[in-house]
Amino acid sequence: MELIQRPRRLRGNEILRKMVRETRMDKSSLIYPLFVKEGTNIREEIPSMEGQYRYSIDRLPYELEELQKAGVGSVMLFGIPDHKDAVGSGAYDDQGIVQRALREAKKQFPDLYYITDVCMCEYTSHGHCGVLCGHDVDNDATLELLAKTALSHVEAGADMVAPSDMMDGRVRAIREMLDKNGHTGSPIMSYAVKYASAFYGPFRDAAGSAPSFGDRRSYQMDFHNRREGMKEALTDIGEGADIIMVKPAMSYLDMVSEVSKAVNVPVAAYSVSGEYAMVKAAAKNGWIDEERIISEMAVGAYRAGAQIYITYYAKELARLMDEGRIG
């Protein structure tokens, strides 16, 4: 048969396949989520996330050293306090768990890049992402507390803040608070396109942040909606967001693609706890090849348009890149 077009010509061997690869990954684009909690000498495995741990501040440096050796240069910190109250005061306490963890981490590993999750859910006694008015989250009353939290993180050493609460106007409130206090160079990565997803279940186990009543669908987005996601992304950019995040990643790659085409800022995709837990469970049962699956998931996010990938598999992906098996 006389064929002019033979796409298989460029698939003949590994060197050629890598030469013509359209999507490329780099370890510098990986962010690893870390959970820090009160106490000492704690490295506590999270039951629903095998291989992930809650660390006390004194054990955190051991994990940071492992990340640095792996070539993963960025971490995102989530705090698990002992004390919770109605207004989530531990979130913006200068001596809060994240603030103290930042100071220690910065002292021991100053070359790593520290991003902090800015939200109230881990710190409120009711588990919602803001202060309540009856059984509803009071959007505007929450903004001041989120801004105070972001400022306290930056002043403790955070290189970037990432608000995940989904309150209207939070990016603007945080930007104004940071600028007013001289932190004009501190970037904001907004959880802008954040859906009310069942994929978050293991995270709520990890952080102890499940709401004590109701759910978060009055502030996180309905997963049926595409245009609403675009509206959120563009609104947050207008308020001063420097990076836009889509969360979750795997079931929302259409949104990663659409957002990346519509905005002029970097786009991050968060491969969330449920994605991690499903892969771990299936791999443990021998049903899938774990390394190939996580490679496909990561490449899928980059192929869709993400420049940043937040994943609990950051260390494994970094190793696979070093071995030339992904990248």
Side-chain angles (χ1 to χ4, degrees):
M1 184 176 291
E2 295 184 5
L3 294 178
I4 301 299
Q5 297 293 334
R6 291 184 179 269
R8 286 185 57 189
R9 291 190 191 110
L10 299 182
R11 303 173 195 159
N13 62 59
E14 185 68 8
I15 293 175
L16 181 56
R17 288 192 294 271
K18 286 185 177 181
M19 182 190 302
V20 299
R21 185 168 285 169
E22 297 174 25
T23 303
R24 298 182 186 272
M25 296 170 53
D26 187 271
K27 289 187 286 186
S28 63
S29 65
L30 299 172
I31 298 174
Y32 185 63
L34 273 172
F35 300 94
V36 289
K37 65 176 296 181
E38 302 285 0
T40 56
N41 198 32
I42 296 172
R43 183 178 181 267
E44 178 179 82
E45 188 168 36
I46 300 164
S48 56
M49 298 177 68
E50 182 181 343
Q52 300 299 309
Y53 299 84
R54 306 179 189 95
Y55 298 93
S56 55
I57 292 174
D58 61 315
R59 293 296 297 270
L60 184 62
Y62 296 98
E63 181 63 13
L64 295 177
E65 184 176 19
E66 289 299 310
L67 287 167
Q68 192 172 64
K69 287 179 180 177
V72 178
S74 300
V75 299
M76 181 180 285
L77 294 178
F78 295 86
I80 306 170
D82 277 347
H83 171 73
K84 303 186 180 194
D85 58 34
V87 295
S89 59
Y92 44 88
D93 185 346
D94 183 57
Q95 293 302 314
I97 180 65
V98 167
Q99 290 83 347
R100 288 185 285 116
L102 279 167
R103 294 187 191 101
E104 186 63 26
K106 276 283 192 178
K107 183 169 65 178
Q108 297 205 39
F109 293 91
D111 294 334
L112 293 179
Y113 194 83
Y114 298 94
I115 305 160
T116 57
D117 178 78
V118 175
C119 196
M120 311 295 291
C121 62
E122 297 106 312
Y123 303 91
T124 54
S125 51
H126 46 76
H128 280 283
C129 298
V131 294
L132 297 181
C133 180
H135 275 64
D136 295 321
V137 176
D138 188 328
N139 188 98
D140 293 6
T142 300
L143 297 182
E144 181 182 357
L145 302 184
L146 293 169
K148 286 173 61 177
T149 300
L151 178 62
S152 73
H153 287 181
V154 170
E155 292 187 338
D159 297 297
M160 178 188 294
V161 292
S164 63
D165 54 282
M166 289 300 287
M167 297 298 114
D168 294 338
R170 77 287 181 51
V171 173
R172 179 179 175 182
I174 290 170
R175 185 73 272 156
E176 289 179 351
M177 177 69 83
L178 293 179
D179 290 357
K180 183 172 68 176
N181 287 274
H183 301 292
T184 56
S186 296
I188 298 172
M189 175 165 59
S190 173
Y191 289 67
V193 189
K194 180 179 179 181
Y195 288 90
S197 172
F199 283 97
Y200 303 151
F203 175 91
R204 291 171 184 170
D205 173 39
S209 62
S212 59
F213 66 88
D215 54 45
R216 296 182 177 137
R217 284 182 287 185
S218 68
Y219 42 100
Q220 295 177 1
M221 286 191 302
D222 184 340
F223 59 78
H224 298 80
N225 295 352
R226 175 184 59 82
R227 289 195 301 267
E228 186 183 15
M230 297 302 300
K231 179 181 179 180
E232 287 280 5
L234 296 172
T235 297
D236 283 6
I237 291 171
E239 292 182 4
D242 301 285
I243 299 171
I244 292 296
M245 184 198 300
V246 177
K247 180 184 180 187
M250 186 167 64
S251 293
Y252 297 85
L253 295 181
D254 60 319
M255 293 308 304
V256 174
S257 178
E258 291 212 28
V259 169
S260 69
K261 294 171 185 173
V263 304
N264 59 357
V265 301
V267 174
Y270 193 151
S271 183
V272 298
S273 58
E275 298 172 45
Y276 176 88
M278 289 193 302
V279 172
K280 275 291 180 186
K284 189 173 183 178
N285 281 288
W287 297 336
I288 60 170
D289 182 324
E290 184 175 13
E291 291 184 346
R292 290 187 64 185
I293 287 284
I294 66 173
S295 297
E296 285 187 45
M297 289 168 61
V299 169
Y302 288 97
R303 191 179 62 241
Q307 291 91 50
I308 299 165
Y309 193 51
I310 305 164
T311 173
Y312 301 95
Y313 275 115
K315 288 185 289 186
E316 291 84 353
L317 289 170
R319 174 177 54 79
L320 291 170
M321 289 182 203
D322 285 340
E323 294 172 357
R325 295 161 64 189
I326 186 177

